[in-house]
Amino acid sequence: MARERGLDGLERILENVTTADQPTDPAAALLRAAADGDADAVAVALRAGADIESRDEHDRTALLLAATYDHVAVAELLVAMGADPDALDDRHDTPWLVTGVTGSVAMLEALLPANPDLTIRNRYGGLSPIPASERGHVDYVRRVVRTGIDLNHVNDLGWTALLEAIILGDGGAAHQEIVRILLAAGADPGIADGDGVTPLQHAEQRGYDEMVALLRR
């Protein structure tokens, strides 16, 4: 498979693995290597027969572990070998959804070739731009708005990414920039929360003057 996909470095690793090098529990070795960020050990575990979709006690796959700990090289290898970017764990996270929490643009880029399902929701009913907007991940939001993901998605709390940037943000420069990016990308400032309070009203209530100015344009 590595040869067919032109993965020369991985092919060399797999060809040089001896029986003595192979782990006795390939699945456990795969998951451990993914969590540790050891791409060579991941390759060895796969060569030893590990199922690429093996799961740990929390139903996390190797790709989800790589995404969680931001091990981009491991994720690139696993994606190249066909790992599922949509595998859900027991917290209803996927490798893709995790990027909205970590804010890793490099991981986002590593996962996009696997064509992740951008409509899968996390345990709060949200898509990846929502936690990213809450946490102030400016670069991530700037990149994710170009994927075609639904920026007006409303989570189970009744909040969009725009609302979370205002309600759960600190009103500072990072969250101001996120509001600017979301609006420029087509986020609807007229979508109110479950109580009918709009993004503009939330910004006004909090004294976030810069956001107010952006929302009034």
Side-chain angles (χ1 to χ4, degrees):
M1 185 181 294
R3 185 178 299 115
E4 290 173 355
R5 298 185 180 189
L7 304 174
D8 297 337
L10 179 57
E11 181 183 348
R12 285 192 295 274
I13 292 171
L14 296 177
E15 285 178 338
N16 292 327
V17 173
T18 68
T19 302
D21 295 325
Q22 295 184 20
T24 56
D25 186 343
L30 171 64
L31 295 168
R32 183 168 57 251
D36 291 343
D38 189 338
D40 288 352
V42 166
V44 170
L46 291 172
R47 175 66 178 81
D51 182 343
I52 200 168
E53 301 302 333
S54 298
R55 294 172 180 263
D56 68 7
E57 66 275 15
H58 296 293
D59 280 341
R60 295 175 297 184
T61 62
L63 185 55
L64 181 48
L65 288 167
T68 299
Y69 297 110
D70 202 29
H71 298 315
V72 176
V74 170
E76 289 174 337
L77 186 159
L78 291 167
V79 165
M81 296 300 288
D84 183 1
D86 302 326
L88 287 159
D89 69 2
D90 63 3
R91 288 163 56 88
H92 217 269
D93 277 326
T94 68
W96 174 262
L97 285 171
V98 164
T99 64
V101 177
T102 65
S104 175
V105 177
M107 186 60 68
L108 176 155
E109 299 288 4
L111 294 175
L112 279 179
N115 297 312
D117 184 345
L118 307 186
T119 68
I120 294 177
R121 304 177 181 187
N122 62 25
R123 62 189 177 280
Y124 302 111
L127 306 182
S128 70
I130 295 181
S133 297
E134 169 204 338
R135 293 165 181 256
H137 295 319
V138 176
D139 290 340
Y140 182 91
V141 173
R142 184 177 289 115
R143 177 63 182 90
V144 80
V145 299
R146 296 191 282 116
T147 65
I149 200 166
D150 183 6
L151 300 179
N152 292 318
H153 175 78
V154 179
N155 66 12
D156 293 344
L157 299 173
W159 297 341
T160 61
L162 185 59
L163 280 164
E164 288 227 359
I166 298 167
I167 296 170
L168 299 179
D170 61 9
H175 289 97
Q176 291 168 29
E177 183 62 16
I178 285 172
V179 168
R180 184 178 293 108
I181 293 167
L182 290 172
L183 290 172
D188 184 353
I191 298 177
D193 65 16
D195 295 319
V197 183
T198 66
L200 175 58
Q201 290 169 325
H202 276 291
E204 289 173 335
Q205 292 169 6
R206 288 163 174 76
Y208 294 163
D209 295 338
E210 295 82 357
M211 290 183 179
V212 169
L214 291 169
L215 291 161
R216 283 179 172 169
R217 288 180 183 175

